[in-house]
Amino acid sequence: MRLEVKDIRKSFGEKEVLHGISFQVESGRALGLLGRNGAGKTTTIRILMDVFHANSGEIFFDGEKFIPSKHGIGYLPEERGLYPKRTVIDQMIYLARLRGVHPSDAKANARKWLERLEVAEYEKRKLETLSKGNQQKVQLASTLVHNPEIVILDEPFSGLDPVNSQILKDVVNELIADNRLVIFSSHQMSYVEEFCDNIAIIDQGEVVLEGELREIKKEHGHNRLMLAAENLDGGQLEEKLAGEFADLLRVCGRKKEFLILELTGKAGRKQVMERLASSDIEVERFGSYAPSLNDIFVAKVGEES
């Protein structure tokens, strides 16, 4: 399956908030939809779900015009929306029925997902009596209760401890392996890197970076190396490199464990290795540098909100 968003524009009154959003997501390859608060992610998601109508642009599903009502969409919003005074099982069945699931299947599906997310013991409890983490797992179970083709997860790990986060990680990986169309939105970049093969970064209503994450990281790490020394701290190593290696490289960043170096001129990794071997620098760590997704995000859209 493939979902393609092409040149979506959306205005509220005279103000255009989406300026031609385009990206695609394929089954089995999750998409990280990223952006600062107010960038346009939620508006884009609401257009996908037919809550808002775009002013122009098109959305296709396997090459045909996308009609949301004909496809199961499971949406886990950042702001939770279940009924706190209803029992867990009753509202899950209710939500499944709203999406066209037969009553007996709705109950079976609800229990299946509650068991998978390890909250089956709470099925007859009111939601408000559960911990925040268990409420979050019930919210995810409700998102999946109708076995949707398309799953949109907005900050799914909010409020979860490490144990519950691992349960959720396993479920997300299962959804991807099951060839669902998964769109994952989060400010926690480590999770995006773990799940997503592709990303689309939205800034002020425009896609400023889109494509395969591995290739994007490779491109942004071009001509960059990392170096740490056993006998010098970061400051001492930086000073030494500035004095003895200025013709080959410059220091362009510093992490806790190493310096980030950028090759200059026609210098290559081999020349740097040879120079290091003949110096008194005791190399602890040396190699190509691949920037984190967080580094790339900040470089494209500025500091995170």
Side-chain angles (χ1 to χ4, degrees), residues 6-62:
K6 294 188 175 182
D7 199 29
I8 293 296
R9 295 178 180 272
K10 175 62 179 175
S11 297
F12 293 104
E14 296 183 357
K15 183 179 180 180
E16 186 177 75
V17 296
L18 298 183
H19 315 301
I21 298 292
S22 297
F23 60 82
Q24 64 181 32
V25 54
E26 298 180 9
S27 55
R29 294 176 60 86
L31 171 75
L33 186 63
L34 311 174
R36 299 178 68 177
N37 294 331
K41 303 188 304 298
T42 301
T43 300
T44 301
I45 289 170
R46 287 174 177 171
I47 289 172
L48 280 172
M49 297 179 64
D50 206 27
V51 176
F52 293 158
H53 295 292
N55 294 94
S56 63
E58 297 177 292
I59 303 175
F60 296 97
F61 187 91
D62 285 344

Short mmCIF file of all heavy atoms in Angstrom, two decimals, residues 6-62:
data_model
loop_
_atom_site.label_atom_id
_atom_site.label_comp_id
_atom_site.label_asym_id
_atom_site.label_seq_id
_atom_site.Cartn_x
_atom_site.Cartn_y
_atom_site.Cartn_z
N LYS A 6 0.05 15.15 -2.20
CA LYS A 6 0.65 15.96 -3.26
C LYS A 6 0.15 17.41 -3.22
O LYS A 6 -1.02 17.68 -3.41
CB LYS A 6 0.34 15.37 -4.64
CG LYS A 6 0.99 14.02 -4.89
CD LYS A 6 0.80 13.57 -6.33
CE LYS A 6 1.56 12.28 -6.61
NZ LYS A 6 1.42 11.86 -8.04
N ASP A 7 1.07 18.31 -2.90
CA ASP A 7 0.86 19.76 -3.00
C ASP A 7 -0.40 20.23 -2.26
O ASP A 7 -1.19 21.00 -2.80
CB ASP A 7 0.79 20.16 -4.48
CG ASP A 7 1.03 21.66 -4.66
OD1 ASP A 7 1.74 22.25 -3.83
OD2 ASP A 7 0.49 22.22 -5.64
N ILE A 8 -0.55 19.78 -1.02
CA ILE A 8 -1.71 20.17 -0.22
C ILE A 8 -1.56 21.60 0.29
O ILE A 8 -0.54 21.95 0.91
CB ILE A 8 -1.91 19.21 0.97
CG1 ILE A 8 -2.31 17.82 0.48
CG2 ILE A 8 -2.95 19.74 1.94
CD1 ILE A 8 -3.64 17.76 -0.23
N ARG A 9 -2.58 22.41 0.05
CA ARG A 9 -2.62 23.78 0.56
C ARG A 9 -3.89 23.97 1.38
O ARG A 9 -4.95 23.45 1.03
CB ARG A 9 -2.58 24.80 -0.58
CG ARG A 9 -1.26 24.75 -1.35
CD ARG A 9 -1.22 25.72 -2.52
NE ARG A 9 0.06 25.63 -3.21
CZ ARG A 9 1.13 26.31 -2.90
NH1 ARG A 9 1.07 27.22 -1.91
NH2 ARG A 9 2.27 26.16 -3.55
N LYS A 10 -3.74 24.69 2.49
CA LYS A 10 -4.89 24.93 3.36
C LYS A 10 -4.83 26.33 3.92
O LYS A 10 -3.79 26.78 4.40
CB LYS A 10 -4.89 23.91 4.51
CG LYS A 10 -5.99 24.13 5.55
CD LYS A 10 -7.38 24.00 4.95
CE LYS A 10 -8.47 24.20 5.99
NZ LYS A 10 -9.82 24.18 5.41
N SER A 11 -5.96 27.02 3.85
CA SER A 11 -6.08 28.37 4.40
C SER A 11 -7.21 28.42 5.42
O SER A 11 -8.21 27.72 5.30
CB SER A 11 -6.36 29.39 3.29
OG SER A 11 -5.30 29.44 2.36
N PHE A 12 -7.01 29.24 6.44
CA PHE A 12 -8.07 29.59 7.37
C PHE A 12 -8.31 31.08 7.21
O PHE A 12 -7.45 31.89 7.55
CB PHE A 12 -7.67 29.25 8.81
CG PHE A 12 -7.54 27.76 9.06
CD1 PHE A 12 -6.28 27.17 9.15
CD2 PHE A 12 -8.66 26.97 9.19
CE1 PHE A 12 -6.15 25.81 9.39
CE2 PHE A 12 -8.54 25.60 9.42
CZ PHE A 12 -7.29 25.02 9.51
N GLY A 13 -9.44 31.43 6.64
CA GLY A 13 -9.67 32.82 6.29
C GLY A 13 -8.70 33.23 5.19
O GLY A 13 -8.56 32.53 4.18
N GLU A 14 -8.02 34.32 5.38
CA GLU A 14 -7.07 34.79 4.38
C GLU A 14 -5.65 34.27 4.63
O GLU A 14 -4.75 34.54 3.84
CB GLU A 14 -7.04 36.33 4.37
CG GLU A 14 -8.37 36.94 3.93
CD GLU A 14 -8.30 38.46 3.86
OE1 GLU A 14 -7.23 39.00 4.21
OE2 GLU A 14 -9.29 39.08 3.45
N LYS A 15 -5.45 33.54 5.70
CA LYS A 15 -4.12 33.07 6.05
C LYS A 15 -3.91 31.64 5.56
O LYS A 15 -4.61 30.71 5.97
CB LYS A 15 -3.89 33.13 7.55
CG LYS A 15 -2.47 32.71 7.96
CD LYS A 15 -2.27 32.82 9.46
CE LYS A 15 -0.85 32.40 9.82
NZ LYS A 15 -0.61 32.48 11.28
N GLU A 16 -2.93 31.44 4.68
CA GLU A 16 -2.58 30.10 4.23
C GLU A 16 -1.61 29.49 5.23
O GLU A 16 -0.56 30.06 5.52
CB GLU A 16 -1.95 30.14 2.84
CG GLU A 16 -1.71 28.74 2.27
CD GLU A 16 -1.16 28.76 0.86
OE1 GLU A 16 0.05 29.07 0.70
OE2 GLU A 16 -1.93 28.50 -0.08
N VAL A 17 -1.95 28.30 5.76
CA VAL A 17 -1.12 27.66 6.79
C VAL A 17 -0.34 26.47 6.25
O VAL A 17 0.68 26.08 6.83
CB VAL A 17 -1.96 27.24 8.00
CG1 VAL A 17 -2.56 28.45 8.69
CG2 VAL A 17 -3.05 26.25 7.61
N LEU A 18 -0.81 25.88 5.15
CA LEU A 18 -0.05 24.83 4.47
C LEU A 18 0.24 25.30 3.05
O LEU A 18 -0.68 25.68 2.32
CB LEU A 18 -0.83 23.51 4.43
CG LEU A 18 -1.19 22.85 5.77
CD1 LEU A 18 -1.91 21.53 5.53
CD2 LEU A 18 0.04 22.65 6.64
N HIS A 19 1.51 25.27 2.68
CA HIS A 19 1.93 25.88 1.42
C HIS A 19 2.42 24.84 0.40
O HIS A 19 3.49 24.99 -0.18
CB HIS A 19 3.03 26.90 1.67
CG HIS A 19 2.79 27.81 2.83
ND1 HIS A 19 1.68 28.63 2.91
CD2 HIS A 19 3.49 28.03 3.97
CE1 HIS A 19 1.72 29.33 4.04
NE2 HIS A 19 2.81 28.96 4.70
N GLY A 20 1.66 23.77 0.22
CA GLY A 20 2.06 22.78 -0.77
C GLY A 20 2.77 21.60 -0.14
O GLY A 20 3.91 21.28 -0.51
N ILE A 21 2.13 20.93 0.80
CA ILE A 21 2.72 19.79 1.51
C ILE A 21 2.70 18.55 0.61
O ILE A 21 1.65 18.19 0.08
CB ILE A 21 1.95 19.50 2.81
CG1 ILE A 21 2.02 20.69 3.77
CG2 ILE A 21 2.45 18.21 3.47
CD1 ILE A 21 3.39 20.94 4.34
N SER A 22 3.86 17.91 0.48
CA SER A 22 3.95 16.67 -0.30
C SER A 22 4.85 15.67 0.42
O SER A 22 5.92 16.03 0.91
CB SER A 22 4.55 16.95 -1.69
OG SER A 22 3.72 17.79 -2.46
N PHE A 23 4.39 14.43 0.50
CA PHE A 23 5.20 13.32 1.02
C PHE A 23 4.48 12.03 0.70
O PHE A 23 3.34 12.05 0.21
CB PHE A 23 5.44 13.45 2.54
CG PHE A 23 4.19 13.46 3.37
CD1 PHE A 23 3.55 12.28 3.73
CD2 PHE A 23 3.65 14.66 3.83
CE1 PHE A 23 2.40 12.29 4.51
CE2 PHE A 23 2.50 14.69 4.60
CZ PHE A 23 1.88 13.50 4.95
N GLN A 24 5.10 10.91 0.94
CA GLN A 24 4.45 9.64 0.74
C GLN A 24 4.88 8.65 1.82
O GLN A 24 5.94 8.79 2.42
CB GLN A 24 4.76 9.05 -0.64
CG GLN A 24 6.22 8.70 -0.88
CD GLN A 24 6.44 8.17 -2.29
OE1 GLN A 24 5.76 8.55 -3.23
NE2 GLN A 24 7.40 7.27 -2.43
N VAL A 25 4.01 7.68 2.08
CA VAL A 25 4.32 6.64 3.06
C VAL A 25 3.89 5.30 2.48
O VAL A 25 2.83 5.19 1.85
CB VAL A 25 3.62 6.92 4.41
CG1 VAL A 25 2.13 7.12 4.24
CG2 VAL A 25 3.88 5.80 5.41
N GLU A 26 4.75 4.30 2.66
CA GLU A 26 4.49 2.96 2.15
C GLU A 26 4.29 1.99 3.29
O GLU A 26 4.85 2.16 4.38
CB GLU A 26 5.65 2.49 1.27
CG GLU A 26 5.90 3.35 0.04
CD GLU A 26 7.06 2.84 -0.78
OE1 GLU A 26 7.55 1.72 -0.48
OE2 GLU A 26 7.47 3.54 -1.72
N SER A 27 3.48 0.96 3.04
CA SER A 27 3.28 -0.06 4.07
C SER A 27 4.61 -0.75 4.35
O SER A 27 5.42 -0.99 3.45
CB SER A 27 2.25 -1.09 3.59
OG SER A 27 2.62 -1.64 2.35
N GLY A 28 4.83 -1.04 5.62
CA GLY A 28 6.06 -1.69 6.04
C GLY A 28 7.23 -0.76 6.22
O GLY A 28 8.32 -1.19 6.63
N ARG A 29 7.05 0.54 5.93
CA ARG A 29 8.12 1.53 6.08
C ARG A 29 7.50 2.78 6.73
O ARG A 29 6.88 3.59 6.05
CB ARG A 29 8.75 1.90 4.74
CG ARG A 29 9.49 0.74 4.08
CD ARG A 29 10.00 1.12 2.71
NE ARG A 29 10.92 2.24 2.77
CZ ARG A 29 12.23 2.12 2.99
NH1 ARG A 29 12.76 0.92 3.22
NH2 ARG A 29 13.01 3.18 3.01
N ALA A 30 7.67 2.89 8.04
CA ALA A 30 7.01 3.98 8.77
C ALA A 30 7.59 5.33 8.37
O ALA A 30 8.78 5.46 8.08
CB ALA A 30 7.18 3.77 10.27
N LEU A 31 6.72 6.34 8.39
CA LEU A 31 7.12 7.71 8.09
C LEU A 31 7.12 8.53 9.37
O LEU A 31 6.14 8.53 10.12
CB LEU A 31 6.14 8.35 7.09
CG LEU A 31 6.33 9.85 6.86
CD1 LEU A 31 7.55 10.12 5.97
CD2 LEU A 31 5.09 10.49 6.24
N GLY A 32 8.20 9.24 9.63
CA GLY A 32 8.25 10.20 10.72
C GLY A 32 7.83 11.56 10.22
O GLY A 32 8.51 12.16 9.39
N LEU A 33 6.68 12.04 10.68
CA LEU A 33 6.18 13.36 10.29
C LEU A 33 6.55 14.33 11.42
O LEU A 33 5.99 14.27 12.51
CB LEU A 33 4.66 13.32 10.09
CG LEU A 33 4.01 14.59 9.53
CD1 LEU A 33 4.53 14.90 8.13
CD2 LEU A 33 2.49 14.44 9.52
N LEU A 34 7.50 15.21 11.15
CA LEU A 34 8.12 16.01 12.20
C LEU A 34 7.95 17.50 11.96
O LEU A 34 7.73 17.94 10.84
CB LEU A 34 9.63 15.69 12.27
CG LEU A 34 10.00 14.20 12.31
CD1 LEU A 34 11.50 14.03 12.24
CD2 LEU A 34 9.43 13.54 13.54
N GLY A 35 8.07 18.25 13.04
CA GLY A 35 7.99 19.70 12.94
C GLY A 35 7.82 20.31 14.32
O GLY A 35 7.39 19.63 15.27
N ARG A 36 8.16 21.57 14.44
CA ARG A 36 7.95 22.27 15.70
C ARG A 36 6.46 22.46 15.94
O ARG A 36 5.63 22.28 15.03
CB ARG A 36 8.66 23.62 15.66
CG ARG A 36 10.16 23.53 15.48
CD ARG A 36 10.82 24.89 15.40
NE ARG A 36 10.76 25.59 16.69
CZ ARG A 36 11.31 26.76 16.90
NH1 ARG A 36 11.97 27.38 15.93
NH2 ARG A 36 11.23 27.33 18.08
N ASN A 37 6.09 22.80 17.16
CA ASN A 37 4.69 23.09 17.45
C ASN A 37 4.20 24.23 16.56
O ASN A 37 4.87 25.26 16.42
CB ASN A 37 4.54 23.50 18.92
CG ASN A 37 4.86 22.36 19.88
OD1 ASN A 37 4.68 21.20 19.53
ND2 ASN A 37 5.34 22.69 21.06
N GLY A 38 3.04 24.02 15.92
CA GLY A 38 2.49 25.03 15.03
C GLY A 38 3.01 24.99 13.61
O GLY A 38 2.66 25.83 12.79
N ALA A 39 3.81 23.97 13.29
CA ALA A 39 4.41 23.90 11.95
C ALA A 39 3.40 23.50 10.88
O ALA A 39 3.57 23.82 9.70
CB ALA A 39 5.57 22.91 11.94
N GLY A 40 2.33 22.78 11.28
CA GLY A 40 1.33 22.33 10.30
C GLY A 40 1.09 20.83 10.31
O GLY A 40 0.31 20.33 9.51
N LYS A 41 1.74 20.11 11.23
CA LYS A 41 1.56 18.65 11.28
C LYS A 41 0.11 18.26 11.56
O LYS A 41 -0.46 17.42 10.86
CB LYS A 41 2.45 18.03 12.36
CG LYS A 41 3.93 18.30 12.23
CD LYS A 41 4.73 17.48 13.22
CE LYS A 41 4.29 17.67 14.67
NZ LYS A 41 4.48 19.05 15.15
N THR A 42 -0.47 18.86 12.60
CA THR A 42 -1.83 18.47 12.99
C THR A 42 -2.84 18.82 11.91
O THR A 42 -3.76 18.04 11.62
CB THR A 42 -2.22 19.16 14.32
OG1 THR A 42 -1.29 18.76 15.33
CG2 THR A 42 -3.62 18.76 14.74
N THR A 43 -2.68 19.96 11.27
CA THR A 43 -3.57 20.34 10.17
C THR A 43 -3.47 19.32 9.03
O THR A 43 -4.48 18.91 8.46
CB THR A 43 -3.23 21.74 9.65
OG1 THR A 43 -3.38 22.69 10.72
CG2 THR A 43 -4.14 22.14 8.50
N THR A 44 -2.24 18.90 8.73
CA THR A 44 -2.03 17.90 7.68
C THR A 44 -2.73 16.59 8.04
O THR A 44 -3.41 15.98 7.20
CB THR A 44 -0.52 17.66 7.47
OG1 THR A 44 0.11 18.89 7.11
CG2 THR A 44 -0.28 16.63 6.39
N ILE A 45 -2.57 16.16 9.29
CA ILE A 45 -3.21 14.92 9.74
C ILE A 45 -4.72 15.03 9.65
O ILE A 45 -5.41 14.09 9.22
CB ILE A 45 -2.75 14.58 11.17
CG1 ILE A 45 -1.28 14.14 11.17
CG2 ILE A 45 -3.62 13.48 11.78
CD1 ILE A 45 -0.66 14.01 12.55
N ARG A 46 -5.27 16.17 10.03
CA ARG A 46 -6.72 16.34 9.99
C ARG A 46 -7.25 16.34 8.57
O ARG A 46 -8.38 15.91 8.32
CB ARG A 46 -7.10 17.63 10.73
CG ARG A 46 -6.97 17.49 12.24
CD ARG A 46 -7.20 18.79 12.97
NE ARG A 46 -7.13 18.58 14.42
CZ ARG A 46 -7.13 19.54 15.31
NH1 ARG A 46 -7.20 20.82 14.93
NH2 ARG A 46 -7.06 19.27 16.60
N ILE A 47 -6.46 16.80 7.62
CA ILE A 47 -6.85 16.72 6.21
C ILE A 47 -6.85 15.26 5.77
O ILE A 47 -7.77 14.81 5.05
CB ILE A 47 -5.92 17.58 5.34
CG1 ILE A 47 -6.21 19.07 5.61
CG2 ILE A 47 -6.11 17.26 3.85
CD1 ILE A 47 -5.22 20.01 4.95
N LEU A 48 -5.84 14.49 6.19
CA LEU A 48 -5.80 13.07 5.86
C LEU A 48 -7.04 12.35 6.38
O LEU A 48 -7.56 11.44 5.73
CB LEU A 48 -4.55 12.42 6.47
CG LEU A 48 -3.23 12.60 5.73
CD1 LEU A 48 -2.08 12.05 6.57
CD2 LEU A 48 -3.26 11.89 4.38
N MET A 49 -7.51 12.77 7.55
CA MET A 49 -8.66 12.11 8.17
C MET A 49 -9.99 12.71 7.74
O MET A 49 -11.04 12.31 8.23
CB MET A 49 -8.51 12.19 9.69
CG MET A 49 -7.29 11.46 10.21
SD MET A 49 -7.15 11.61 12.00
CE MET A 49 -8.64 10.76 12.52
N ASP A 50 -9.95 13.69 6.85
CA ASP A 50 -11.15 14.35 6.32
C ASP A 50 -11.88 15.17 7.39
O ASP A 50 -13.09 15.44 7.26
CB ASP A 50 -12.11 13.32 5.71
CG ASP A 50 -13.00 13.94 4.63
OD1 ASP A 50 -12.57 14.93 4.01
OD2 ASP A 50 -14.11 13.42 4.41
N VAL A 51 -11.15 15.60 8.42
CA VAL A 51 -11.71 16.54 9.39
C VAL A 51 -11.71 17.94 8.79
O VAL A 51 -12.66 18.71 8.95
CB VAL A 51 -10.90 16.51 10.71
CG1 VAL A 51 -11.41 17.56 11.69
CG2 VAL A 51 -10.97 15.11 11.33
N PHE A 52 -10.62 18.29 8.11
CA PHE A 52 -10.52 19.52 7.34
C PHE A 52 -10.47 19.17 5.86
O PHE A 52 -10.04 18.07 5.49
CB PHE A 52 -9.24 20.30 7.67
CG PHE A 52 -9.17 20.88 9.06
CD1 PHE A 52 -7.94 21.19 9.62
CD2 PHE A 52 -10.32 21.11 9.80
CE1 PHE A 52 -7.86 21.72 10.90
CE2 PHE A 52 -10.25 21.64 11.08
CZ PHE A 52 -9.02 21.94 11.63
N HIS A 53 -10.88 20.10 5.02
CA HIS A 53 -10.76 19.93 3.58
C HIS A 53 -9.65 20.87 3.08
O HIS A 53 -9.62 22.05 3.45
CB HIS A 53 -12.07 20.25 2.87
CG HIS A 53 -13.18 19.30 3.22
ND1 HIS A 53 -13.18 17.98 2.84
CD2 HIS A 53 -14.32 19.48 3.94
CE1 HIS A 53 -14.27 17.39 3.29
NE2 HIS A 53 -14.98 18.28 3.98
N ALA A 54 -8.79 20.34 2.26
CA ALA A 54 -7.72 21.16 1.68
C ALA A 54 -8.30 22.12 0.65
O ALA A 54 -9.31 21.81 -0.01
CB ALA A 54 -6.67 20.26 1.03
N ASN A 55 -7.67 23.27 0.50
CA ASN A 55 -8.08 24.21 -0.54
C ASN A 55 -7.66 23.73 -1.92
O ASN A 55 -8.33 23.97 -2.92
CB ASN A 55 -7.49 25.59 -0.27
CG ASN A 55 -8.06 26.21 0.99
OD1 ASN A 55 -7.49 26.08 2.06
ND2 ASN A 55 -9.21 26.88 0.89
N SER A 56 -6.53 23.04 -1.96
CA SER A 56 -6.05 22.46 -3.21
C SER A 56 -5.08 21.35 -2.90
O SER A 56 -4.65 21.17 -1.76
CB SER A 56 -5.38 23.53 -4.09
OG SER A 56 -4.22 24.05 -3.45
N GLY A 57 -4.73 20.59 -3.92
CA GLY A 57 -3.85 19.44 -3.75
C GLY A 57 -4.63 18.15 -3.79
O GLY A 57 -5.88 18.14 -3.80
N GLU A 58 -3.91 17.03 -3.80
CA GLU A 58 -4.56 15.72 -3.93
C GLU A 58 -3.88 14.71 -3.00
O GLU A 58 -2.71 14.83 -2.68
CB GLU A 58 -4.48 15.22 -5.37
CG GLU A 58 -5.21 16.10 -6.38
CD GLU A 58 -5.03 15.59 -7.80
OE1 GLU A 58 -3.91 15.66 -8.31
OE2 GLU A 58 -6.02 15.11 -8.38
N ILE A 59 -4.66 13.70 -2.63
CA ILE A 59 -4.14 12.57 -1.85
C ILE A 59 -4.56 11.30 -2.57
O ILE A 59 -5.73 11.13 -2.96
CB ILE A 59 -4.69 12.58 -0.41
CG1 ILE A 59 -4.35 13.90 0.28
CG2 ILE A 59 -4.10 11.41 0.38
CD1 ILE A 59 -4.95 14.03 1.67
N PHE A 60 -3.59 10.39 -2.76
CA PHE A 60 -3.84 9.15 -3.47
C PHE A 60 -3.51 7.95 -2.60
O PHE A 60 -2.58 7.98 -1.78
CB PHE A 60 -3.00 9.07 -4.75
CG PHE A 60 -3.34 10.13 -5.76
CD1 PHE A 60 -2.60 11.30 -5.83
CD2 PHE A 60 -4.40 9.96 -6.63
CE1 PHE A 60 -2.89 12.28 -6.75
CE2 PHE A 60 -4.72 10.93 -7.56
CZ PHE A 60 -3.96 12.09 -7.62
N PHE A 61 -4.30 6.88 -2.77
CA PHE A 61 -4.06 5.61 -2.09
C PHE A 61 -3.90 4.55 -3.17
O PHE A 61 -4.85 4.28 -3.91
CB PHE A 61 -5.22 5.27 -1.16
CG PHE A 61 -4.99 4.06 -0.30
CD1 PHE A 61 -4.42 4.19 0.96
CD2 PHE A 61 -5.33 2.79 -0.74
CE1 PHE A 61 -4.20 3.08 1.76
CE2 PHE A 61 -5.12 1.68 0.05
CZ PHE A 61 -4.55 1.82 1.31
N ASP A 62 -2.70 4.00 -3.28
CA ASP A 62 -2.39 3.03 -4.34
C ASP A 62 -2.77 3.57 -5.71
O ASP A 62 -3.35 2.85 -6.55
CB ASP A 62 -3.08 1.69 -4.08
CG ASP A 62 -2.40 0.90 -2.97
OD1 ASP A 62 -1.24 1.23 -2.61
OD2 ASP A 62 -3.01 -0.06 -2.45
#
